[in-house]
Amino acid sequence: MKKSWFVKDVKETDVKKSPRAPFITSTLQQSASSRLGFAPSRTMGIAQKLYEAGHITYMRTDSTNLAASAIAQISEVVAKNFGKDLLQIRTYAAKSKNAQEAHEAIRPTHFNLESAGINDEQKKLYQLIWNRTVSSQMADAGTLRTKITANVDGADTPNFSITGTQVKFPGWLLADPASRGDD
């Protein structure tokens, strides 16, 4: 016996999506693993080479702080590449009271270099760091989340639902578009 489907409910919600904090050691390892397929030890080895070449700050840190000079460089990059209206200077608090904050967050040393490194792995990791750090100082993204609930007419079955997201205002996603898939 054939039954017809019907849409039981449609809910739309505006959602603001804030950028993530600049990288600390553990978040760099997590992102490099999920986005680049790098094991934590491999990530740290590649980061060490980038640090030794002067491309990034020290990569063993629990601090999400950025130096004033870094924020000034980011401000110039955001204004030039994305528009001054997308700049939103932010400070991020440490999640742990015991955080070792002697160093600043893992970040590029020169933001005018969008690419750095001598091989493909270094370039990919550097790009990940550059994107995350620049986007951390940009305006929230605005999305529209839609949830559709459906069922079979006259059947005693659980509801089926699906949720989709549509970007209404890209904000910081312009600097880190690959992060859309991180949720």
Side-chain angles (χ1 to χ4, degrees), residues 17-49:
K17 190 172 177 179
S18 297
R20 291 182 173 85
F23 283 124
I24 61 173
T25 305
S26 62
T27 57
L28 176 63
Q29 291 171 334
Q30 290 165 8
S31 287
S33 175
S34 63
R35 287 205 209 167
L36 306 175
F38 294 170
S41 59
R42 185 171 168 202
T43 298
M44 297 314 288
I46 298 165
Q48 180 71 36
K49 298 290 185 201

Side-chain angles (χ1 to χ4, degrees), residues 72-88:
Q73 286 183 52
I74 293 169
S75 298
E76 289 177 22
V77 167
V78 170
K80 181 181 148 209
N81 294 2
F82 309 107
K84 208 186 293 189
D85 57 320
L86 288 181
L87 180 67
Q88 185 175 339

